[in-house]
Amino acid sequence: MTTFERAERLGKLPPYLFKEIDRKKTEMKAKGVDIIDLGIGDPDLPTPRHIIEALKEAVENPATHRYPAYAGMPAFKKAVAQWYKERFGVDLDPEKEVLALIGSKEGIAHLPLAFISPGDISLVPTPGYPVYNVATLFAGGASYFMPLLRDNGFLPDLSAIPDDAAKRAKVMFINYPNNPTAAVAEVDFFNRVVEFAREKGILVCHDAAYTEIAYDGYRPSSFLEAEGAKDVGIEFHSLSKTYNMTGWRVGFAVGNSDAIEGLGAIKSNVDSGVFEAVQMAGIRALLGDQSCVKDVIGVYTERRDLMVQGLRDAGFELDSPKASFYLWIKVPEGYTSARLATRLLEEGVVITPGNGFGEPGEGYFRIALTQKKERLAEAIQRIKATKL
Ligand SMILES: Cc1ncc(COP(=O)(O)O)c(C=O)c1O
């Protein structure tokens, strides 16, 4: 087979740390071992019925079969603005301050192409969602990693960012409720980010994929609730987690109109928008009955309580999360994150080692609550039975 010299940018990809674990997992599955996968953050619950019905109706209409408007259907953008007003009290101009995305990952991955040139820096949280760094590298930039430490509530310490990095920085990524640490941020933190960004001339990109998955009545804030946030930033949002729609590929970016226009300029040269039938289903999701979200939270709450208690009983140290469907847990003494993952895999339990999200994640592991209660209970039994 002919092979082809790959572009330099692919050589810049950070090493994939889960190769060995993936290999072992595949090998065990092939042998018929019963594996409980707590590694993947992909909801196991189905998309609510009324959203599926909306798609079915829309797809029957041939008008939806054509190329969509690049930036999103006016009705979809209006629905997003209405949802933002009701949920966060934030006003958005649907025409200039909303952009439909093929999932928030797509928007996050394209953003640096619009705002990062070779030699520029993105400020990137670590541990964190890997796309912020990789997209920066693909655009020819470099990441300055902001460590998220437990002592600081897993918020970046803005005062610790060196002047030199801040001067070269064009973009800052933040993400709350956070993947992988499950930490949350309040508006006072966002206010400090706005001040920092304004002073340094940085575009803030807040990834808000998990704001709707929150427990015990807690309601996470939007970055755009901070005073002056729209002057300095945008927010990425997604229907994936809120409505169990990861496979549908629909999300949106909102906020600063200049940044929205820049991202839109890249996108209009790369993709041709979100399938209109999916956007119409998205409108039903955003403006329809929200009791489905409450139901989903009810399911995750039971799972969270079961896992937090079970893991604490087994001697693990962890905070019970206020939001997101992740648990971020300390590895027991004498183990690295990778060694613990390998050991638990031998018992048929897949977890994600924290160092896979960046170096300060070493010493932690992540569990996703995207398995049924019975499977989670079984995972706890196996973990308890493991001599660690
Ligand atoms: C922090 C974070 N941001 C963004 C995404 C992307 O979600 P989507 O592209 O499905 O909207 C994910 C998915 O796991 C995520 O964890």
Side-chain angles (χ1 to χ4, degrees), residues 21 27 77 149 165 172 245 283:
I21 291 174
E27 189 183 291
K77 294 190 288 185
L149 307 174
M172 172 195 265
M245 291 173 75
I283 295 170

Side-chain angles (χ1 to χ4, degrees), residues 103-105 108 129 132 175 179 207 209-210 238 240-241 249:
S104 59
K105 180 180 188 178
I108 293 166
Y129 184 56
Y132 314 133
N175 163 225
N179 176 13
D207 177 353
Y210 294 96
S238 175
S240 289
K241 318 289 159 126
R249 311 313 302 135

Side-chain angles (χ1 to χ4, degrees), residues 62-378:
T64 65
H65 302 173
R66 309 188 67 191
Y67 284 122
Y70 286 125
M73 295 166 75
F76 179 79
K77 294 190 288 185
K78 262 175 83 174
V80 168
Q82 189 178 327
W83 184 80
Y84 251 75
K85 181 70 184 168
E86 280 164 19
R87 170 65 178 88
F88 300 115
V90 168
D91 287 304
L92 293 170
D93 174 347
E95 271 316 301
K96 296 198 171 109
E97 296 176 339
V98 180
L99 179 66
L101 300 173
I102 310 169
S104 59
K105 180 180 188 178
E106 178 266 305
I108 293 166
H110 281 139
L111 182 114
L113 290 180
F115 297 102
I116 293 287
S117 298
D120 291 342
I121 277 184
S122 291
L123 303 173
V124 171
T126 181
Y129 184 56
V131 182
Y132 314 133
N133 171 42
V134 170
T136 298
L137 296 177
F138 280 179
S143 298
Y144 174 83
F145 287 105
M146 307 180 289
L148 305 186
L149 307 174
R150 186 158 185 241
D151 286 351
N152 208 26
F154 298 110
L155 300 172
D157 178 357
L158 303 177
S159 66
I161 300 168
D163 278 348
D164 167 51
K167 245 184 227 146
R168 285 170 57 202
K170 293 283 162 61
V171 169
M172 172 195 265
F173 288 101
I174 48 173
N175 163 225
Y176 295 95
N178 184 257
N179 176 13
T181 68
V184 296
E186 306 303 337
V187 176
D188 68 331
F189 168 72
F190 293 143
N191 282 334
R192 278 184 275 133
V193 171
V194 170
E195 202 178 307
F196 179 84
R198 187 172 278 142
E199 196 183 299
K200 313 285 184 194
I202 293 170
L203 166 61
V204 177
C205 298
H206 180 234
D207 177 353
Y210 294 96
T211 55
E212 302 317 292
I213 309 296
Y215 307 107
D216 311 320
Y218 177 68
R219 301 283 272 165
S221 300
S222 160
F223 171 67
L224 297 182
E225 287 176 58
E227 186 80 30
K230 241 198 256 177
D231 285 344
V232 297
I234 60 172
E235 186 153 86
F236 288 100
H237 228 295
S238 175
L239 278 72
S240 289
K241 318 289 159 126
T242 314
Y243 304 104
N244 304 323
M245 291 173 75
T246 46
W248 296 56
R249 311 313 302 135
V250 57
F252 45 90
V254 294
N256 184 283
S257 58
D258 186 57
I260 293 289
E261 193 182 299
L263 175 57
I266 294 292
K267 277 176 58 59
S268 64
N269 286 286
V270 176
D271 64 67
S272 298
V274 179
F275 182 22
E276 286 200 350
V278 169
Q279 292 188 58
M280 288 167 92
I283 295 170
R284 185 78 59 89
L286 290 169
L287 302 186
D289 183 3
Q290 299 299 302
S291 60
C292 57
V293 183
K294 277 210 177 90
D295 295 344
V296 164
I297 289 171
V299 171
Y300 287 135
T301 304
E302 279 192 15
R303 294 176 181 181
R304 176 200 66 165
D305 293 347
L306 175 98
M307 273 323 258
V308 168
Q309 195 55 52
L311 286 163
R312 283 182 180 160
D313 290 347
F316 287 89
E317 195 186 323
L318 74 157
D319 295 319
S320 182
K322 280 180 151 177
S324 85
F325 48 55
Y326 298 115
L327 304 182
W328 186 240
I329 309 147
K330 277 208 155 157
V331 304
E333 206 128 316
Y335 278 86
T336 61
S337 299
R339 272 195 51 228
L340 181 75
T342 308
R343 180 69 192 91
L344 291 179
L345 183 57
E346 285 163 9
E347 305 303 324
V349 178
V350 176
I351 52 135
T352 310
N355 60 315
F357 298 101
E359 213 268 325
E362 177 55 52
Y364 287 89
F365 65 104
R366 192 193 76 176
I367 274 180
L369 300 169
T370 47
Q371 294 279 357
K372 296 197 172 24
K373 242 169 92 177
E374 300 71 42
R375 296 294 279 165
L376 294 175
E378 167 69 17

